[in-house]
């Protein structure tokens, strides 16, 4: 059972794990940060689309609140019924879950029309692990169908973070509280290698949690399936699985960097021939539509100086474990390459920051300019409300991170952007506290919503 720290209740569902029945078996449900957000959004919209990569827990999350469901990917009879009358699948108690809606894309417009015809809110929950191609028959759903992004689980959801240091409180200007969270270096390596996939946690006493070795093997199978089948089903384009695999390997080697598409194409081409930029871009687009990669956009504040902002996005998988799996690496590989380990750790923290930030209506960016100044994460919570973080695996680099943050804060035009709500260095382990210069030190095992 999750043990919840003293955090704002509006962001999380308190109580014991819930049971979800799937395929006749009872599965224990681990509460998610998005649970409360889903309820709130259903209260505002006629329907909600839960988007996220395959196996991140969309169906289980939706079934906590759905009154009825139709599983389009699992039930051929439902797809046959949809071919005759897609509207038939919308009949049932509400909220009605329509799982993997993109299998029958035409159902989107039927949901939209049903929302228009019915009174009230919260009629449908759609889930999808791929974004089908846009076409002229599918309306955006604006004003009718809201969207909720679900990612693999954060350390807080995995019960590996106490959540004592709340991102929402930091954004409200509350200083970093004194805390302690110990995650050893081998534990951190295991966390980046196994990832936040709910399936690794086990579902019952008959399905115990996976060992690290088994979890990493499942992750490699996941990546193999992306190369063989998933990327093809996005748009029907035939792609060489070996080349897709090399492209994923290149992304894995360059995780949490602003590597260019030209470099990725050159690196993924293999010894026989280079991959051209057009093909590499098509791979990236397909992976984005599968929600396997989630790039980190740059932040563009008003500056006091004449520094020029760089506009490249940072490359991230939705979970750092996919970078490890793409390269068939293990915890030993990670522990023997601390530079790469640092990038993987940064990517894991970005995953968690995105989850916590989304719960407060904020977004996560990075900063980079022509002088070489870089900041790993900027959380933008709306007009004149932002926080900046450096991410350092080792606590020995806290001073370096603090200097960068203070230099960055001095460069931002606070009259137009507002004073930073928080500046913090997120580290792998140790004590959390506020430094005399105002920069907080935040162990990742204490970070939460």
């Amino acid at each position: 059972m999750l043990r919840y720290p003293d955090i704002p209740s509006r962001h999380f569902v308190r109580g014991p794990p819930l049971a979800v029945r799937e395929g006749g078996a009872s599965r224990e449900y681990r509460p998610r940060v998005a649970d409360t957000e889903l309820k709130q959004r259903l209260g505002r919209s006629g329907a909600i689309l839960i988007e996220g990569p395959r196996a991140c827990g969309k169906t289980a999350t939706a079934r906590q609140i759905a009154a009825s469901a139709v599983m389009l990917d699992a039930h051929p009879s439902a797809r046959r019924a949809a071919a005759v009358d897609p509207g038939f699948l919308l009949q049932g108690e509400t909220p009605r879950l329509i799982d993997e809606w993109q299998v029958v894309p035409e159902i989107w417009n039927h949901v939209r029309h049903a929302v228009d015809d019915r009174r009230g809110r919260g009629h449908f929950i759609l889930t999808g692990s791929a974004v089908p191609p846009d076409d002229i028959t599918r309306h955006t759903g604006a004003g009718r169908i809201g969207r909720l992004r679900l990612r693999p689980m954060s350390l807080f959801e995995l019960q590996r973070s106490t959540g004592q240091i709340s991102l929402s409180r930091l954004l409200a200007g509350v200083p970093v509280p004194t805390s302690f969270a110990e995650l050893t270096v081998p534990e951190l390596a295991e966390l980046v290698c196994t990832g936040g996939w709910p399936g690794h946690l086990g579902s019952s006493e008959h399905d115990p949690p996976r060992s690290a070795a088994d979890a990493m093997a499942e992750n490699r199978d996941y990546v193999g399936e992306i190369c063989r089948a998933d990327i093809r089903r996005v748009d029907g384009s035939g792609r060489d699985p070996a080349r897709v695999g090399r492209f994923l390997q290149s992304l894995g080697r360059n995780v949490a960097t602003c590597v260019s598409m030209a470099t990725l194409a050159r690196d993924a081409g293999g010894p026989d021939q280079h991959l051209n930029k057009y093909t590499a871009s098509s791979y990236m687009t397909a992976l984005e539509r599968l929600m396997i990669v989630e790039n980190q956009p740059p932040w563009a504040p008003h500056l006091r100086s004449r520094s020029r902002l760089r506009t490249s996005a940072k490359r991230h998988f939705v979970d750092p474990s996919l970078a490890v799996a793409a390269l068939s690496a293990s915890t030993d590989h990670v522990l023997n390459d601390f530079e790469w380990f640092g990038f993987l750790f940064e990517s894991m923290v970005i995953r968690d920051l995105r989850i916590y930030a989304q719960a407060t209506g904020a977004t996560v960016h990075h900063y980079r300019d022509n002088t070489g100044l870089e900041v790993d994460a900027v959380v933008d919570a709306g007009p004149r409300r932002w926080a900046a973080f450096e991410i350092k695996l080792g606590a020995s680099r806290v001073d370096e991170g603090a200097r960068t943050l203070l230099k960055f804060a001095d460069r931002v035009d606070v009259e137009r952007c507002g004073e930073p709500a928080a500046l913090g260095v997120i580290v792998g382990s140790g004590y959390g506290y506020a430094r005399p210069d105002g920069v907080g030190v935040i162990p990742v095992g204490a970070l939460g919503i």
Side-chain angles (χ1 to χ4, degrees), residues 53-74:
R54 179 168 51 85
C56 74
K58 299 181 299 298
T59 303
T61 296
R63 294 193 78 159
Q64 300 312 300
I65 195 171
S68 65
V70 57
M71 322 303 283
L72 291 178
D73 64 331

Side-chain angles (χ1 to χ4, degrees), residues 374-385:
E374 298 186 31
V375 174
D376 295 326
V378 179
V379 179
D380 188 339
R384 300 178 63 83
R385 194 161 71 101

Side-chain angles (χ1 to χ4, degrees), residues 180-357:
F180 180 77
E182 184 175 8
L183 287 171
T184 66
V185 170
E187 285 175 329
L188 287 168
E190 185 174 301
L191 286 167
V192 301
C193 288
T194 57
W197 304 100
H200 296 339
L201 301 177
S203 59
S204 67
E205 61 183 34
H206 304 295
D207 179 24
R210 309 293 188 269
S211 67
D214 286 345
M216 286 185 281
E218 290 183 8
N219 292 344
R220 290 192 292 272
D221 290 343
Y222 188 109
V223 169
E225 197 63 21
I226 292 170
C227 299
R228 287 187 296 273
D230 289 355
I231 201 167
R232 181 187 295 268
R233 69 181 172 86
V234 170
D235 55 14
S237 298
R239 295 183 174 91
D240 180 1
R243 286 193 171 188
V244 176
R246 289 198 296 268
F247 186 77
L248 291 172
Q249 289 171 1
S250 182
L251 278 172
R253 283 189 288 269
N254 293 283
V255 68
T257 72
C258 295
V259 62
S260 69
M261 192 61 66
T263 299
L264 290 173
R266 197 163 50 247
D267 190 32
D272 49 346
Q273 63 180 110
H274 292 308
L275 201 66
N276 65 55
K277 286 176 61 177
Y278 173 80
T279 303
S281 294
S282 76
Y283 288 178
M284 183 65 77
T285 299
L287 292 169
E288 287 172 345
R289 284 172 50 192
L290 286 169
M291 288 160 277
I292 295 302
V293 298
E294 187 176 5
N295 292 327
Q296 184 183 357
W299 196 54
H302 296 285
L303 300 177
R304 290 186 179 127
S305 70
R306 295 184 179 181
S307 302
R308 294 189 303 278
L309 301 176
R310 301 301 190 192
T311 59
S312 300
K314 270 193 179 183
R315 310 292 184 184
H316 291 278
F317 285 93
V318 72
D319 191 284
S321 63
L322 297 182
V324 177
L327 292 162
S328 299
S330 66
T331 53
D332 287 340
H333 293 103
V334 171
L335 290 169
N336 287 318
D337 187 347
F338 256 73
E339 183 179 7
W340 188 43
F341 190 0
F343 287 118
L344 292 168
F345 175 72
E346 178 182 336
S347 196
M348 181 178 73
V349 173
I350 294 300
R351 176 200 68 195
D352 287 10
L353 283 174
R354 281 172 164 155
I355 293 168
Y356 307 147

Side-chain angles (χ1 to χ4, degrees), residues 389-406:
F389 302 94
E390 277 286 272
I391 301 169
K392 305 295 182 186
L393 178 58
S396 62
R397 299 183 64 191
V398 166
D399 287 343
E400 173 192 341
R403 285 193 298 271
T404 296
L405 291 168
L406 293 169

